[in-house]
Amino acid sequence: MSEAKSSYHHGDLRATLISTAMGMLERGEPFSIRAVAREAGVSATAPYRHFPEREALESALAAEGLRNLREDLIRDRALPTTAEELAEFGAAYVEFALRRPALFRLMFGNECNTDDEERVQAAAAVHELLTAAITAVFPDTDPLNLALGGWGAVHGMAFLYLDRKLTADSIEEVALQVRASLLAIFAAQPLS
């Protein structure tokens, strides 16, 4: 019996479908619910118990991607206390986008399904982390507006690199540019 079918009988069909769809997405294979079912080794109708339409499956993938992004942001680092450490968060965000471009585009390419509580919670956890990081480094500013501005900067840079409007020879070079750009923003002072 295949692993997918074994997992299904243990009540893990949803997780198996998400894992299968994630693999197909990241390999660049177009997927439908039926194609995911076929790849997972389950009946063509089995996924519909968990995902009534493709958008529900995509929303589950986006939620998983948001959780993965948050894990990448906190992996091997404490909450930032300096602008340099905060710039590391930005670099990690862009590196995630470049390492997992299909998932990143899926996460942010469609309108957020606010009816999907799992996705809403995953997005909120990322936003809370970024707001806490901003507040720790810039305690005397409006953390929500600064977090939104910082997110816009790194998100924009991620898509500029993904769309090849900006180029670099390596992911390390991208990270250096992201850090330098964010530090320039953080240090900027208005003319007196």
Side-chain angles (χ1 to χ4, degrees):
M1 183 175 290
S2 78
E3 183 179 327
K5 287 184 180 178
S6 175
S7 295
Y8 168 68
H9 291 298
H10 291 291
D12 270 348
L13 177 60
R14 185 175 192 282
T16 297
L17 294 170
I18 291 170
S19 176
T20 301
M22 186 73 75
M24 293 174 75
L25 174 71
E26 293 190 325
R27 288 189 305 268
E29 299 173 14
F31 66 87
S32 63
I33 291 182
R34 287 184 180 265
V36 170
R38 187 171 38 255
E39 178 85 10
V42 298
S43 76
T45 58
Y48 291 97
R49 295 178 205 151
H50 299 282
F51 305 108
E53 73 279 327
R54 179 187 167 112
E55 291 76 25
L57 178 57
E58 288 180 349
S59 192
L61 290 173
E64 181 69 19
L66 287 162
R67 286 188 294 272
N68 293 168
L69 173 60
R70 186 179 186 285
E71 289 168 12
D72 275 18
L73 292 173
I74 61 174
R75 180 174 291 121
D76 300 327
R77 65 176 63 91
L79 197 63
T81 58
T82 66
E84 290 79 11
E85 291 171 350
L86 187 57
E88 285 296 323
F89 261 47
Y93 185 96
V94 176
E95 287 172 13
F96 177 90
L98 297 179
R99 227 178 37 261
R100 301 181 77 182
L103 176 60
F104 191 80
R105 288 185 188 281
L106 178 92
M107 289 162 55
F108 296 108
N110 299 323
E111 184 176 336
C112 183
N113 180 357
T114 56
D115 293 331
D116 183 340
E117 190 59 32
E118 179 186 22
R119 184 172 181 175
V120 169
Q121 287 178 355
V126 172
H127 293 159
E128 288 167 11
L129 175 64
L130 296 176
T131 301
I134 292 283
T135 302
V137 177
F138 297 103
D140 297 329
T141 61
D142 177 347
L144 293 178
N145 283 327
L146 191 55
L148 183 59
W151 180 36
V154 296
H155 192 75
M157 289 180 78
F159 273 104
L160 287 170
Y161 279 108
L162 284 173
D163 293 338
R164 301 201 179 277
K165 305 297 187 234
L166 293 176
T167 59
D169 293 331
S170 68
I171 200 159
E172 291 81 15
E173 189 178 315
V174 170
L176 285 171
Q177 182 60 61
V178 171
R179 285 185 206 99
S181 297
L182 287 175
L183 289 173
I185 292 168
F186 297 152
Q189 297 289 319
L191 293 175
S192 18

